[in-house]
Amino acid sequence: WGGGGDIVFVGVANGCSRILASPPLTTLLMKTCPMVIELPVFGRSRPEEKVLEAVGVFEAVKQHGKYETGQLFLHSVFGYRGIVLFPWHARLYDRDVTLPVSDSKPEPPGGAHGSKEVKGKTHTYYQVLIDTRDCPHISQRSQTEAVTFLANHDDSRALYAIPGLDYVSHEDILPYNSTEQVPIQHELFERFLLFNPAKAPPFTARDTLKAWQEKNHPWLELSDVHRETTENIRVTVIPFYMGMREAQNSHVYWWRYCIRLENMGSEVVQLRERHWRIFSLSGTLETVRGRGVVGREPVLSKEQPAFQYSSHVSLQAPSGHMWGTFRIERTDGSHFDVRIPPFSLESNKDDKAPPAGYTF
């Protein structure tokens, strides 16, 4: 069986189906028996050659509950190997779902889309490390994900990043286990996690991870997720407040936001234009138009249905809103607009110190 060329079953060994997976991993056929995962690596003798290397065995997907610190996984959309550091409990504002009043309490800032009230529902995300070996294969993202933050007050123009960090939704986790003591290659892996074969999963948080999470909680926290689908194109937005800086006797507030576009249908489409409206509490309304996003015009197909990128926005006010549309082109040349769900830009009340616990 082949899933768009991404996965091929090549037989059965020791009662377990063996998988040959070539990133990006976009389709997965799960069986009840454990499955050995094999990923391609470049040949040692000739760089252009690829060989298959076993990396672990799939575990059952958790329908209920959460994954623990140290859980190894494959990303179901982007195909990379990763490991869970800790969970976040976010409020998901899904404009495709009308929740009964008894199911969820209204939570600001959900806002209204026209006259449509949207209620937040708790959803689990995870802070994870990405295996650096897989980064070159993540073609459906504008860059390997990183957590960006502002420098200290001495340099208001500098923007720093901690690479190889990502936020992963619970349903995007495909858990597996491995006998390797260092199954993920990332410079923070051994600093944050300790191999403990008596545990399941066999990796526990070091005190450095706990201290790093506590000190950098304001920069890392994921609180609100916004989602909306137009003509089978689903847009998910996650905003993060980064902090405030003083510039030319005024306060400038900064946010980063992560956007994922997913093609939920079978038709091949391409993102051509973006149209943003940015409202500031100071009373200004800015319109931004342009070709593509972050210099790219991604194609969304059945084989590669998703694209994700991050960007930044600043306001001279402590809060505001953003919303807009993406212009999408079909293969016949026709176009349609996909709504970007409106989301709030909210600043935290407390002033934030620069991130701690990591040496750059």
Side-chain angles (χ1 to χ4, degrees), residues 33-314:
C33 68
M35 292 185 290
V36 178
I37 310 162
E38 292 184 337
L39 296 179
V41 296
F42 286 106
R44 278 100 174 145
S45 58
R46 298 175 60 185
E48 68 275 11
E49 290 183 351
K50 290 183 179 180
V51 297
L52 291 168
E53 184 176 278
V55 298
V57 178
F58 274 124
E59 299 176 347
V61 172
K62 284 192 175 183
Q63 303 296 334
H64 306 285
K66 69 179 188 298
Y67 296 106
E68 302 297 328
T69 295
Q71 176 65 61
L72 295 167
F73 69 92
L74 289 182
H75 196 294
S76 66
V77 177
F78 299 114
Y80 64 73
R81 287 166 285 181
I83 191 166
V84 171
L85 295 181
F86 45 81
W88 292 109
H89 300 294
R91 292 186 299 271
L92 172 62
Y93 297 96
D94 193 339
R95 298 177 183 276
D96 303 327
V97 177
T98 302
L99 297 174
V101 175
S102 59
D103 283 2
S104 177
K105 295 181 181 180
E107 296 186 47
H113 191 207
S115 59
K116 180 179 178 181
E117 184 181 20
V118 181
K119 300 174 181 178
K121 189 172 184 179
T122 301
H123 193 77
T124 302
Y125 277 74
Y126 299 94
Q127 192 89 66
V128 308
L129 294 180
I130 301 174
D131 194 312
T132 56
R133 294 169 294 184
D134 296 340
C135 292
H137 304 289
I138 309 176
S139 59
Q140 317 101 298
R141 294 165 77 135
S142 61
Q143 68 280 317
T144 300
E145 201 59 48
V147 172
T148 51
F149 59 91
L150 299 177
N152 57 35
H153 291 274
D154 295 334
D155 186 355
S156 61
R157 296 174 298 174
L159 184 69
Y160 289 83
I162 303 175
L165 284 180
D166 200 4
Y167 296 85
V168 180
S169 179
H170 183 86
E171 63 267 22
D172 287 341
I173 296 282
L174 298 176
Y176 74 91
N177 60 64
S178 171
T179 57
E180 295 183 53
Q181 293 190 22
V182 186
I184 300 296
Q185 288 190 11
H186 190 286
E187 60 181 324
L188 295 178
F189 179 86
E190 292 185 271
R191 181 168 181 175
F192 283 170
L193 298 163
L194 176 67
F195 181 70
N196 184 349
K199 296 284 188 177
F203 303 98
T204 56
R206 292 182 183 269
D207 290 340
T208 50
L209 174 59
K210 298 173 183 177
W212 183 80
Q213 178 186 5
E214 182 179 352
K215 292 178 181 178
N216 297 293
H217 185 278
W219 300 93
L220 299 171
E221 183 180 12
L222 184 158
S223 57
D224 296 336
V225 180
H226 304 265
R227 180 186 293 166
E228 185 167 2
T229 303
T230 308
E231 296 195 35
N232 287 326
I233 305 300
R234 184 166 70 184
V235 178
T236 304
V237 184
I238 306 178
F240 300 87
Y241 177 59
M242 297 173 61
M244 179 270 294
R245 290 293 175 265
E246 295 183 7
Q248 299 178 349
N249 298 322
S250 65
H251 291 166
V252 179
Y253 299 82
W254 284 87
W255 292 263
R256 71 179 183 271
Y257 57 91
C258 178
I259 291 186
R260 184 198 292 188
L261 295 99
E262 294 177 87
N263 186 351
M264 313 302 290
S266 58
E267 186 178 19
V268 178
V269 298
Q270 185 171 12
L271 189 154
R272 289 299 191 185
E273 299 176 10
R274 68 187 186 279
H275 177 204
W276 281 106
R277 306 296 297 277
I278 307 170
F279 175 76
S280 171
L281 187 65
S282 62
T284 61
L285 178 61
E286 182 181 2
T287 299
V288 178
R289 292 181 180 269
R291 295 288 296 181
V293 291
V294 291
R296 296 177 62 174
E297 297 179 20
V299 174
L300 304 178
S301 63
K302 189 175 181 179
E303 291 72 29
Q304 294 192 338
F307 181 79
Q308 185 168 309
Y309 73 96
S310 294
S311 190
H312 302 86
V313 63
S314 63

Side-chain angles (χ1 to χ4, degrees), residues 310-328:
S310 294
S311 190
H312 302 86
V313 63
S314 63
L315 300 176
Q316 291 186 327
S319 64
H321 287 82
M322 290 180 65
W323 68 97
T325 57
F326 292 122
R327 175 62 58 90
I328 305 295

